[in-house]
């Protein structure tokens, strides 16, 4: 890039003028003084009107100014306007020598052409030579007039004056070198700044292109929620959630919770959660209304400055509508199929039960085979019931203010006989009442499942305890046993559908691997969660489910 200096003020004005005006402007100060001299002469020094040299000096000065204005400098090769200051020396010489000894000080006018030549940017050596010899030329005639009666003072004055002008020229040179260095430095900095700016614009463009090429919406926001960067996907998402008319107290965004109908309160929206400093993943919200409504899985990470201050957040949105719809279709299929299985299975079990009512009348081999049919049909029915529950668990949760202590009591009551049979001591340490926002039917089902698992997977007997903890926002129920335990990695896998641990399979304990996945769906349907921890030394396990104390605030 070419070096560019950006002049300011008078310098910029000078640059805008044409070459003729520029040259005339340089000549103007000298011309004005000579003009003033010419006007004052008839009154102040009338004798000078008789000096042809003086008059010639005035005329030459005027002619030079006219020349500045009239000569087409722009068309001439090498722009020879520096002839003007050189000829100025001649005009000043004529003026000074024509006015001597009346006005010897006129020689000082030589400072004007000296300044012009020194600041003109011509070769230093030439400008120095001219700055010395021009003034010398002005002084020599008066010296010559006194020849041969020269005094030391005459010679000194004659030489000192050109030397002074030479010093002026040198000073201007040094000053202009300094200015030029500063300008170069400025130009260098300006170039670097422009380069940095260009690079940063290119980087920003690259970043935006990459962001726009991804199929997830990405937004970076500052602490007050203003967008710093966002990509096309995110803008589409914002478009989809823009409400046509404002909903009182809910702002202008159509972002719904899991039920697809309840507007999320502002503080539960992904961006609000993110700028509050929360870090989350897989937070599912529904964007927009009607057939255009989309399921959006969101995740957020806080932006933290070097000194640890929270400066904003990055929020990522992925459209998971297809996935959610596929899951719902899958659940609907399972629910329909299991429903169709139940009727014939109930018929088989009912008929076998009827036949087995009079088991003594049956030949023993037939009775034995019918008992196998009965056992397997019942197993099949239990499996079908589990499958059907797994398909509907997430969909049919109706939470309300519920006392968990009474649910625990009921669960213990129904498991007591099974526990005694397995030589297990069942205890509970739960304060009563223990309020939570829960569907009593579903949470009862989840508790039954955890307690019956604890009994089932404690083949050697032992103890099971149910305990509770609560905060202002959450209630936790833990079911701990002293049974066979669950190894490290399996503590998360056990919640997957059909997953069974090796030790459970090895111990030939019957099961389909559906109970915990149903329990998880139920708890998550309440906005809570469930975790599993293995006991000390791999013995025993603890399942903890966390539920909200209060439901969401009513929506308008
Ligand atoms: P099921 O019990 O029908 O196999 P679940 O989904 O209830 O299905 O449990 C999944 C697996 O988790 C079980 O097969 C078993 O391996 C393990 N599991 C569940 N509860 C316990 C427990 N209390 N102790 C040890 N293992 C357990």
């Amino acid at each position: 890039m070419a070096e560019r200096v950006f002049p300011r003020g008078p310098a910029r004005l000078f640059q805008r003028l044409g070459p003729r005006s520029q040259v005339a402007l340089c000549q103007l100060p000298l011309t004005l003084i000579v003009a003033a001299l010419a006007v004052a002469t008839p009154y102040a020094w009338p004798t000078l009107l008789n000096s042809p040299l003086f008059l010639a000096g005035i005329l030459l000065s005027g002619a030079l100014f006219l020349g500045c204005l009239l000569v087409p400098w722009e068309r001439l090769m090498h722009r020879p306007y520096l002839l003007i200051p050189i000829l100025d020396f001649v005009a000043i010489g004529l003026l000074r020598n024509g006015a001597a000894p009346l006005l010897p000080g006129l020689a000082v006018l030589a400072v004007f052409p000296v300044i012009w030549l020194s600041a003109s940017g011509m070769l230093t050596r030439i400008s120095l030579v001219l700055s010395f010899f021009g003034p010398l030329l002005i002084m020599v005639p008066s010296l010559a007039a006194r020849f041969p009666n020269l005094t030391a003072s005459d010679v000194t004055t004659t030489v000192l004056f050109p030397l002074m002008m030479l010093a002026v020229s040198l000073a201007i040179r040094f000053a202009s070198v300094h200015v030029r260095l500063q300008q170069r430095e400025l130009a260098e900095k300006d170039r670097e700044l422009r380069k940095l700016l260009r690079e940063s614009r290119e980087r920003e463009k690259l970043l935006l292109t990459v962001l726009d090429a991804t199929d997830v919406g990405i937004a970076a926001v500052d602490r007050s929620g203003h967008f710093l960067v966002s990509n096309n996907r995110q803008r589409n998402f914002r478009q989809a959630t823009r409400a046509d008319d404002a909903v009182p107290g809910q702002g202008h965004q159509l972002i719904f919770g899991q039920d697809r109908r309840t507007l999320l309160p502002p503080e539960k929206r992904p961006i609000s959660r993110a700028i509050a400093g929360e870090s989350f993943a897989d937070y599912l919200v529904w964007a927009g209304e009607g057939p255009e409504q989309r399921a959006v899985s969101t995740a957020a990470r806080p932006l933290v400055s070097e000194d640890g201050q929270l400066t904003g957040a990055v929020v990522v949105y992925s459209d998971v509508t297809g996935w959610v719809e596929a899951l719902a279709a899958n659940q609907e299929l399972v629910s329909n199929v299991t429903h169709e299985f139940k009727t014939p299975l109930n018929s088989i079990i009912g008929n076998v039960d009827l036949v087995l009512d009079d088991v003594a009348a049956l030949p023993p081999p037939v009775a034995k085979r019918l008992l196998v049919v009965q056992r397997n049909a019942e197993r099949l029915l239990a499996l079908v019931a589990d499958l059907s529950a797994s398909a509907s668990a997430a969909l049919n949760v109706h939470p309300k203010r519920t006392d968990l202590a009474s649910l625990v009591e009921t669960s213990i009551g129904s498991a007591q006989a099974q526990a005694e049979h397995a030589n297990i001591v069942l205890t509970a340490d739960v304060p009563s009442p223990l309020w939570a926002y829960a569907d009593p039917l579903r949470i009862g089902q989840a508790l039954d499942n955890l307690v019956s698992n604890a009994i089932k997977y404690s083949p050697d007997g032992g103890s099971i305890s149910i305990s509770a903890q609560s905060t202002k926002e959450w209630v936790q129920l833990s079911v701990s046993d002293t049974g066979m335990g669950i190894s490290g990695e399996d503590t998360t896998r056990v919640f997957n559908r059909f997953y069974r641990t090796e030790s459970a399979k090895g111990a030939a304990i019957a099961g389909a691997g559906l109970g915990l996945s149903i329990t998880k769906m139920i708890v998550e349907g309440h906005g809570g969660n469930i975790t599993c921890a293995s006991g000390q030394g791999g013995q025993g396990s603890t399942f903890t489910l966390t539920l909200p104390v209060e439901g969401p605030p009513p929506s308008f």
Side-chain angles (χ1 to χ4, degrees):
M1 198 167 101
E3 179 178 301
R4 280 170 62 190
V5 181
F6 300 97
R8 289 158 190 273
R12 192 159 51 188
L13 199 75
F14 188 79
Q15 258 195 357
R16 282 201 201 137
L17 295 172
R20 290 189 214 189
S21 313
Q22 285 181 347
V23 177
L25 208 63
C26 293
Q27 179 66 358
L28 189 64
L30 179 62
T31 310
L32 284 179
I33 289 181
V34 174
L37 198 62
V39 171
T41 303
Y43 312 102
W45 312 283
T47 49
L48 288 183
L49 294 176
N50 300 324
S51 163
L53 283 182
F54 183 75
L55 294 178
I58 289 184
L59 285 179
L60 179 57
S61 188
L64 285 174
F65 188 64
L66 281 180
C68 294
L69 290 172
L70 300 178
V71 174
W73 302 109
E74 63 277 8
R75 282 195 230 142
L76 297 180
M77 286 272 285
H78 309 304
R79 311 234 169 128
Y81 47 76
L82 288 180
L83 268 178
I84 300 283
I86 295 171
L87 288 174
D88 277 344
F89 286 127
V90 179
I92 295 164
L94 290 172
L95 282 171
R96 193 255 175 190
N97 291 301
L102 212 54
L103 294 171
L106 281 183
V108 88
L109 292 178
V111 79
F112 289 107
V114 165
I115 291 174
W116 188 348
L117 289 169
S118 313
S120 67
M122 75 189 311
L123 270 179
T124 312
R125 215 172 307 154
I126 299 177
S127 83
L128 289 179
V129 166
L130 288 174
S131 299
F132 180 78
F133 285 102
L136 189 64
L137 183 85
I138 294 168
M139 302 301 280
V140 165
S142 58
L143 193 71
R146 286 169 205 241
F147 193 77
N149 306 320
L150 296 176
T151 62
S153 153
D154 292 337
V155 176
T156 314
T157 315
T158 308
V159 177
L160 200 60
F161 181 65
L163 280 176
M164 276 163 60
M165 290 300 126
L166 185 67
V168 168
S169 174
L170 275 171
I172 292 172
R173 276 280 151 184
F174 289 143
S176 60
V177 166
H178 180 67
V179 168
R180 222 167 296 145
L181 278 177
Q182 274 189 332
Q183 283 180 338
R184 206 168 296 162
E185 223 170 87
L186 269 180
E188 182 73 27
K189 282 196 180 133
D190 184 65
R191 202 165 48 232
E192 268 172 32
L193 271 178
R194 277 161 194 278
K195 191 170 159 237
L196 283 176
L197 192 70
R198 208 176 45 243
E199 281 174 5
S200 108
R201 285 213 183 109
E202 274 164 16
R203 267 201 299 273
E204 190 182 327
K205 225 160 100 187
L206 179 73
L207 176 73
L208 289 179
T209 313
V210 171
L211 287 184
D212 280 342
T214 56
D215 63 352
V216 293
I218 300 173
V221 289
D222 65 13
R223 284 212 65 183
S224 41
H226 293 125
F227 287 87
L228 302 172
V229 182
S230 63
N231 64 351
N232 277 338
R233 282 263 171 179
Q234 208 281 334
R235 282 189 283 278
N236 292 347
F237 170 75
R238 255 189 289 167
Q239 194 64 37
T241 58
R242 191 158 295 148
D244 291 337
D245 51 336
V247 180
Q250 300 295 323
H252 294 261
Q253 279 196 300
L254 297 174
I255 304 180
F256 300 91
Q258 301 251 347
D259 65 358
R260 304 173 69 163
R261 287 187 306 274
T262 315
L263 271 172
L264 277 185
E267 71 278 6
K268 289 273 167 73
R269 290 179 194 156
I271 289 192
S272 311
R273 285 184 61 187
I275 58 178
E278 264 189 72
S279 181
F280 55 86
D282 296 332
Y283 179 49
L284 190 82
V285 296
W286 287 87
E289 277 180 314
E292 300 296 306
Q293 196 178 44
R294 315 295 298 165
V296 182
S297 172
T298 62
R301 291 279 174 285
L303 284 174
V304 180
S305 65
E306 274 180 18
D307 55 357
Q309 296 281 319
L310 181 73
T311 54
V314 174
V315 188
V316 180
Y317 303 78
S318 23
D319 187 335
V320 290
T321 316
W323 181 79
V324 170
E325 277 169 359
L327 200 70
N330 173 27
Q331 281 174 344
E332 198 182 331
L333 177 79
V334 173
S335 151
N336 288 342
V337 169
T338 49
H339 183 77
E340 294 304 316
F341 276 6
K342 269 184 199 161
T343 321
L345 267 175
N346 278 328
S347 158
I348 294 170
I349 292 169
N351 282 298
V352 172
D353 281 354
L354 278 179
V355 176
L356 284 175
D357 268 353
D358 201 4
V359 70
L362 295 171
V366 175
K368 205 172 148 198
R369 292 209 187 281
L370 278 176
L371 281 169
V372 173
V373 171
Q374 187 192 42
R375 207 169 48 245
N376 281 309
E378 275 168 357
R379 253 184 88 183
L380 207 53
L381 188 65
L383 182 60
V384 166
D386 274 357
L387 272 173
S388 149
S390 116
S392 66
L395 305 173
N396 302 319
V397 169
H398 304 290
K400 58 180 185 193
R401 195 168 134 82
T402 301
D403 176 19
L404 294 184
S406 64
L407 294 185
V408 171
E409 204 176 309
T410 314
S411 186
I412 286 190
S414 45
Q416 200 65 56
Q418 195 193 352
E420 275 167 20
H421 187 252
N423 203 19
I424 288 171
V425 181
L426 203 49
T427 55
D429 178 16
V430 176
S432 178
L434 182 62
W435 296 109
Y437 186 69
D439 179 337
L441 202 73
R442 292 293 180 194
I443 294 300
Q445 184 185 352
L447 266 177
D448 286 348
N449 200 7
L450 294 180
V451 174
S452 81
N453 270 356
I455 297 172
K456 197 160 80 170
Y457 296 106
S458 302
D460 304 327
S463 64
I464 296 171
S465 63
I466 304 180
S467 58
Q469 271 145 6
S470 59
T471 66
K472 244 179 98 192
E473 290 176 16
W474 301 100
V475 175
Q476 283 189 329
L477 279 181
S478 300
V479 179
S480 305
D481 64 55
T482 52
M484 59 172 48
I486 298 172
S487 71
E489 282 178 4
D490 281 345
T491 51
T492 48
R493 290 196 198 134
V494 287
F495 297 105
N496 295 344
R497 274 192 196 184
F498 303 112
Y499 187 81
R500 308 203 66 221
T501 60
E502 285 307 320
S503 38
K505 285 192 265 188
I509 299 172
L514 278 171
L516 284 180
S517 77
I518 296 168
T519 307
K520 185 170 186 262
M521 266 192 268
I522 292 172
V523 178
E524 286 180 351
H526 285 76
N529 66 50
I530 181 164
T531 54
C532 166
S534 58
Q536 298 265 319
Q539 280 294 298
S541 34
T542 299
F543 286 85
T544 304
L545 50 88
T546 308
L547 294 168
V549 173
E550 307 270 359
S555 60
F556 296 93

